[in-house]
Amino acid sequence: MSDAAIHPIRFILSDLDGTLLHPDHRPSQRTVDTVRALRAAGVFFSLASGRPPKAMLPMVETFGIDIPVAGFNGGTLISPDGSVLVAHHLPAEAALIALALFSAAPDVETWVFADGDWLRRDLPGPMVQRETDGLGYGPVVVESFEPYLDRIDKIVAASLDTQRLIELEAQLQPRVQGLAQVSRSQPVYLDVTAMLANKGEALKTLAAHLGVPLEQTAAIGDGGNDPAMFQVAGLSIAMGQAEEAVKRQASVVTGSHVEDGAAEAFERFILSAGLR
C-alpha cells in the first residue's frame, strides 16, 4: 500500500517558475486543468515562490487559488486579494553583508525587493529584461539601498555565470549564519531572505491554518529553495530538470517543466491515489 493511500494528500504547496510554468512563464492547459481537478477533488492548493507577491497574483487568478500563498521564498504570506498576512524582513546586518559581497562581484547584478517594489541602483544588465519578462513589471531605480535596510524582503544576486553564484553562496553562508537564508531559487538567481523566510516554514504555517497534518501535505519544486519544504512535507516531488542535489532530497522525481512534470505528478501520485 502506498504512502498516498495511507495518508491521502489534502494540501499541495507548489513552486511556480520551473515547476508549474513553462520557460515562457506560462502554465500549460494540462497543468491548469489538473490543478482545477485537484481543487474539485477537495485538495487545497497553494503557491510558494521566490517571486514578489504582486508578481504571483496573476497566477493566483489563473489557478483559481482561494487560500493564502507565499512569496519571497515563504517570507511573505498573502491572501488571494493581495493583502499581506505575514511578512519576515531581512535583518539589516545581514543585508549589509550581502550587499557588500554582491556589489564587489563582477558580472553580478544586485537587486533589492522592499515596499512592494523591485529596486536596482546600477545600469541595467542582461538579467533585468529576463526578470521583467518573468515578473511582468520592471525595476525602480534608486540612488541607494540604505533607506530600505529596515524593511527588505529579499536581496538577489543575478548572473548568467552560475558557477560565480555558487561561489558567492558558499562565501555568504557562513557570514550570515543564524541571520539569513541563502539559496539559489534558480541557477541564475541567488536569494537572501530572513531566517523564517523559507518554504518549509510557509508549508507548516499554511498547513496549520488549513488544519491539515503535515503527513497529508505534498510539496513540489525544482530549485535550491525547495528542499526546505521537501523536508517537512509528507510527499516531496522534484522536477526532472532540477539539480541532482535537489532531486536527492525529494521522495520522487517527475518529468521536467517542459514535459508538464507537475501535472504528471499530481495525476499519478495524488489524484489517482486519492480516487481509488
Side-chain angles (χ1 to χ4, degrees):
M1 183 176 290
S2 69
D3 287 345
I6 299 171
H7 301 294
I9 300 301
R10 295 176 51 206
F11 170 45
I12 302 169
L13 188 59
S14 176
D15 174 49
L16 259 178
D17 298 283
T19 300
L20 297 181
L21 307 185
H22 281 196
D24 64 359
H25 307 292
R26 297 180 181 180
S28 69
Q29 190 59 51
R30 178 187 178 188
T31 298
V32 173
D33 290 344
T34 303
V35 171
R36 289 174 178 168
L38 287 166
R39 297 182 64 248
V43 178
F44 294 112
F45 190 89
S46 187
L47 306 172
S49 173
R51 289 185 178 209
K54 73 178 182 181
M56 298 175 68
L57 292 178
M59 291 299 106
V60 169
E61 182 175 353
T62 294
F63 291 110
I65 295 171
D66 56 2
I67 61 175
V69 300
F72 293 131
N73 296 335
T76 301
L77 301 184
I78 61 169
S79 62
D81 66 6
S83 58
V84 176
L85 303 176
V86 178
H88 299 292
H89 294 134
L90 187 65
E93 179 183 354
L96 288 169
I97 293 170
L99 290 171
L101 180 65
F102 295 166
S103 64
D107 300 323
V108 171
E109 298 172 48
T110 303
W111 305 330
V112 164
F113 291 84
D115 293 350
D117 289 319
W118 164 25
L119 311 173
R120 69 169 177 83
R121 288 186 310 181
D122 304 322
L123 292 173
M127 298 301 295
V128 167
Q129 189 59 53
R130 176 180 179 139
E131 185 75 347
T132 299
D133 292 342
L135 298 185
Y137 62 90
V140 175
V141 180
V142 296
E143 293 185 3
S144 172
F145 295 136
E146 186 174 352
Y148 304 91
L149 286 176
D150 63 341
R151 55 191 188 278
I152 291 176
D153 294 298
K154 183 173 73 166
I155 296 174
V156 178
S159 176
L160 292 173
D161 187 345
T162 298
Q163 185 56 42
R164 185 71 183 114
L165 295 183
I166 292 173
E167 294 168 358
L168 287 173
E169 183 178 10
Q171 293 172 33
L172 184 59
Q173 286 276 14
R175 300 187 193 183
V176 296
Q177 187 172 5
L179 293 173
Q181 298 273 351
V182 183
S183 63
R184 284 182 300 122
S185 56
Q186 295 184 42
V188 295
Y189 298 131
L190 178 60
D191 296 350
V192 187
T193 55
M195 285 299 295
L196 290 177
N198 68 79
K199 294 185 180 184
E201 290 295 327
L203 191 151
K204 289 190 285 187
T205 299
L206 291 173
H209 172 73
L210 297 168
V212 177
L214 289 176
E215 59 266 25
Q216 292 187 284
T217 67
I220 183 168
D222 73 308
N225 57 352
D226 293 317
M229 61 178 174
F230 291 176
Q231 293 163 12
V232 298
L235 172 66
S236 53
I237 306 164
M239 299 299 292
Q241 83 283 358
E243 294 179 358
E244 288 303 317
V246 174
K247 292 180 181 178
R248 286 195 297 268
Q249 298 181 72
S251 308
V252 296
V253 177
T254 187
S256 72
H257 60 320
V258 298
E259 301 168 317
D260 290 342
E264 173 193 330
F266 298 152
E267 293 162 355
R268 179 181 176 187
F269 298 113
I270 300 170
L271 284 170
S272 295
L275 296 175
R276 284 176 185 150

